[in-house]
């Protein structure tokens, strides 16, 4: 009987634990949704409400085009064209337009239609997205791995010559913008030495599909953009990791752990590394936005047709639906990235899931 | 490292009680004149931090680079100015096409050219004794790159200052209010901050710049600040969360002093060092992003910027494909790297100045030295 009660109580406790944990996840999801709503609203406002907005520019553009082709600029035809390209109906009151726009974007993933390509914006960007993610994720992953390893090594050798040289090196690397790195890579590795291709996503000679040549071609073309993206991910993180590790190495609980005779490898991984990485992990969530942002510049430099490249293309060709769509797309990809990071953060740091009042900052 | 050596000296000799209390009594009696008090304040807030700052090589290099950046800006501004007597002062001529041979290589002729007439540094000139002939090379149109770099600086300085002031100002306003007020205000302000933080910065700036092309340098800085403030606001908020529990803040609160006064008198001064450090970082990110956006050609070319030079070198000089022209894109890139390196070193060095532990160690050392003189 006693055992039975205990078991029930344990089950209840774990259930409550799971619910509290879930509450944290639900909150995060709700938060992401609110952000998406806000960004969509901003996009709508920029599109529709502001004087001299893309909608006005588009109208003028269409009027000019129609006049150029000898047709009379019929306002209804133009309204129709705007409706097709942006997804909102200029005849309806503004709040209904707003609601319909939100509905289109969030429920139907309808971002309008590209003026330049004539295809739905969503299809264009969805096809381009994996390439951007490929570059950004690897850049971020390599960058943060390098941060953690270098920072830990510096903290381990604190005060040594290696430490001071690495500090200077890390500071210097931090002051090199990623595009400067990209120019150097492109000029030396692609054009001068010819080791890597200077543009494109994969070679045209290979057939697309799951074959080794194609995959090698992707890696070959992706190396330089990933190396440049690595610079973004690297940032100043190594110094932060070094600082965290040094601070933790001086904590009392570490001395206690040593007195208890816990093995040094366990102390290094469980006590020092874990606590030192946690602040870096929150920093990484901001890093995700930075890495995806940087892809606009990098994909232009490497002529790598991802979402960033289409953004650039859209500005140059004044393709406003594509421009606004790619901005929304960037936000959504970033939001998903941050959401994944936050969910795993809950696993890495049990305190984050306990739902207490003071949040992690 | 340097600071570990300082640790060894901070022990010093202990003062005897007599000395200590004698001094205290003396200090009690003395009525300080306004001038002396000013001297003390100057020492406490300007000279001592200055000395601590200068003792660290990072701040030294950082301050040198930043002053060089500002001085270059002033020199270029003076050279182009039409104001009163400045009209006749030209330190560095404005760049124009065909001032130098087209595609002139940097440091043409090597060191031997210094003693020759018409070399990249011409020491045979009569006045002002040294003449520069496109030492950094020239573009395809014969514009000297060095002059272009110098004359882009005033606009960049304006942009960096505007960007740093606006981003730091917004961060102070939102971060400190949120941290101090707590509750609903906090959650609303932090939601806004989170939304801004998750929005990818460059695409947002591109969209805004596509709709409203900013034509003034300071406006570019302000637009770029949109991307820079949220991180700092969050960091400031977490600092305030610990400060608001301090007893002196609580005392002010119980005395019924309004929140705005508490925030501006009690809390913000404590955060000033932290804010200064982050202003340098904000300046760096403004330079990074502006150069990237000017390079992309997203911002209108109405202001001068190193990014525009890079764009010209890239699209007209084919600087990456044609290695002979690589210098055209190399110099503006170096300018960006050097200025941001200076800003980062400055902020790192200032971090050490304001870090109370290092500061205390140093001031103890200074105090010890004075005591020995008495």
């Amino acid at each position: 009987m006693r055992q039975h009660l205990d078991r029930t109580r344990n089950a209840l406790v774990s259930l409550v634990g799971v619910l509290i944990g879930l509450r944290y996840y639900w909150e995060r999801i709700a938060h992401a949704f609110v952000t998406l709503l806000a960004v969509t609203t901003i996009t709508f406002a920029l599109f529709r409400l502001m004087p001299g907005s893309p909608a006005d520019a588009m109208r003028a553009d269409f009027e000019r085009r129609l006049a150029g082709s000898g047709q009379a600029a019929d306002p209804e035809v133009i309204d129709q064209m705007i409706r097709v390209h942006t997804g909102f109906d200029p005849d309806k009151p503004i709040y209904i337009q707003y609601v319909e726009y939100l509905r289109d974007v969030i429920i139907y993933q309808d971002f309008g239609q590209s003026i330049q390509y004539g295809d739905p914006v969503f299809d264009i960007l969805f096809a381009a997205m994996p390439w951007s993610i490929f570059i950004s994720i690897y850049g971020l992953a390599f960058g943060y791995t390098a941060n953690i390893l270098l920072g830990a090594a510096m903290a381990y050798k604190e005060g040594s010559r290696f430490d001071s040289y690495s500090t200077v090196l890390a500071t210097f690397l931090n002051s090199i913008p990623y595009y400067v790195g990209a120019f150097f890579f492109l000029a030396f590795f692609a054009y001068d030495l010819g080791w890597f291709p200077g543009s494109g996503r994969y070679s045209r000679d290979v057939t697309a599909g799951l074959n080794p040549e194609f995959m090698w071609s992707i890696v070959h073309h992706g190396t330089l953009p990933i190396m440049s993206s690595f610079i973004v991910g690297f940032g100043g993180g190594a110094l932060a990791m070094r600082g965290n590790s040094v601070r933790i190495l001086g904590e009392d609980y570490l001395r206690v752990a040593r007195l208890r005779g816990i093995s040094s490898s366990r102390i290094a991984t469980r006590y020092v590394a874990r606590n030192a990485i946690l602040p870096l992990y929150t920093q990484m969530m901001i890093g995700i936005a930075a890495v995806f942002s940087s892809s606009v510049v990098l994909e232009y430099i490497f002529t790598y047709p991802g979402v960033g490249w289409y953004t650039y293309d859209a500005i140059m060709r004044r393709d406003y639906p594509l421009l606004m769509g790619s901005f929304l797309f960037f936000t959504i990809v970033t939001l998903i990235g941050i959401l994944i990071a936050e969910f795993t953060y809950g696993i890495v740091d049990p305190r984050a899931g306990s739902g207490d009042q003071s949040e992690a900052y | 490292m340097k600071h570990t050596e300082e640790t060894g000296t901070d022990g010093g000799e202990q003062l005897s009680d007599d000395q200590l209390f004698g001094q205290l009594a003396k200090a009690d009696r003395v009525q300080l004149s306004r001038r002396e008090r000013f001297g003390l304040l100057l020492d406490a807030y300007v000279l001592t931090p200055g000395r601590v700052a200068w003792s660290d090589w990072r701040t030294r290099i950082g301050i040198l680079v930043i002053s060089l950046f500002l001085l270059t800006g002033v020199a270029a501004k003076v050279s182009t100015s039409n104001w009163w007597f400045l009209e006749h002062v030209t330190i560095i001529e404005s760049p124009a096409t065909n001032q130098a041979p087209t595609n002139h290589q940097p440091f043409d002729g090597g060191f031997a050219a210094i003693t020759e007439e018409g070399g990249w540094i011409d020491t045979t000139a009569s006045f002002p004794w040294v003449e520069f002939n496109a030492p950094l090379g020239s573009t395809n149109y014969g514009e000297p790159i060095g002059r272009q770099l110098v004359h882009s600086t005033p606009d960049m300085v304006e942009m960096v200052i505007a960007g740093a002031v606006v981003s730091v100002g917004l961060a102070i306003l939102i971060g400190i209010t949120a941290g101090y007020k707590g509750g609903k205000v906090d959650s609303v302000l932090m939601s806004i901050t989170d939304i801004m933080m998750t929005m990818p910065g460059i695409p947002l700036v591109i969209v805004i710049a596509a709709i409203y092309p900013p034509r003034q340098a300071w406006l570019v800085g302000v637009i770029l600040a949109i991307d820079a403030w949220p991180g700092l606001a969050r960091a400031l908020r977490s600092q305030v969360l610990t400060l608001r529990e301090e007893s002196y803040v609580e005392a002010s609160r119980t005395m019924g002093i309004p929140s705005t006064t508490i925030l501006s008198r009690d809390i913000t001064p404590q955060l000033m060092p932290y804010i200064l450090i982050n202003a340098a970082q904000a300046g760096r990110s403004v330079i990074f992003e502006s150069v990237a956006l000017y390079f992309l050609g997203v911002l209108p070319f109405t202001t001068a910027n190193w990014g525009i030079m890079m764009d010209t070198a890239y699209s007209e000089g084919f600087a990456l494909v044609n290695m002979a022209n690589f210098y055209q894109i190399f110099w503006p890139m170096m300018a960006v790297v050097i200025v941001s390196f200076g800003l980062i070193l400055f902020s790192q060095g200032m971090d050490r100045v304001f870090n109370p532990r290092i500061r205390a160690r140093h001031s103890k050392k200074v105090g010890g030295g004075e005591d020995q003189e008495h």
Side-chain angles (χ1 to χ4, degrees), chain B residues 234-245:
Chain B
R234 263 211 166 275
L236 280 177
R237 171 180 169 271
S238 62
Q239 300 266 320
V240 173
L241 282 181
T242 50
L243 275 181
R244 66 187 286 217
E245 310 298 338

Side-chain angles (χ1 to χ4, degrees), chain A residues 190-255:
Chain A
Y191 294 129
D192 199 35
L193 297 170
W195 290 351
F196 297 99
S199 64
R201 304 185 292 202
Y202 49 83
S203 167
R204 270 177 211 168
D205 308 332
V206 296
T207 44
L210 270 177
N211 54 51
E213 288 82 29
F214 182 63
M215 286 191 210
W216 165 245
S217 177
I218 290 176
V219 172
H220 198 208
H221 281 74
T223 309
L224 292 183
I226 289 174
M227 274 162 72
S228 314
S229 191
F230 164 83
I231 299 177
V232 188
F234 188 73
L239 292 176
M241 177 70 190
R242 176 187 175 276
N244 294 338
S245 308
V246 168
R247 186 172 44 79
I248 288 161
L249 283 172
E251 294 280 354
D252 286 340
Y253 63 77
L254 222 66
R255 194 176 303 165

Side-chain angles (χ1 to χ4, degrees), chain A residues 31 35 42 50-51 171 174-175 178-179 183-184 187-188 191 239 293 300 312 315 327 330 334 338 359 361, chain B residues 194 198-202 204 206 212 237-238 241 284 288 291-292 295-296 310 323 326 333 340-341 344 348:
Chain A
H31 203 248
T35 311
I42 291 171
M50 304 284 176
T171 311
N174 194 8
S175 54
Y178 55 91
Y179 45 85
F183 288 141
F184 273 98
F188 290 104
Y191 294 129
L239 292 176
S293 277
Y300 166 68
Y312 173 77
I315 307 163
F327 171 55
F330 267 117
T334 312
I338 288 174
E359 52 173 317
Y361 27 78
Chain B
D194 279 349
T198 25
M199 266 197 248
I202 290 182
L204 175 67
I206 285 177
Y212 306 104
R237 171 180 169 271
S238 62
L241 282 181
R284 185 197 70 137
F288 269 30
V291 170
F295 169 73
L296 281 182
M310 281 162 64
M323 280 312 266
F326 189 67
M333 289 194 313
S340 56
F341 190 52
I344 292 174
Q348 276 186 359

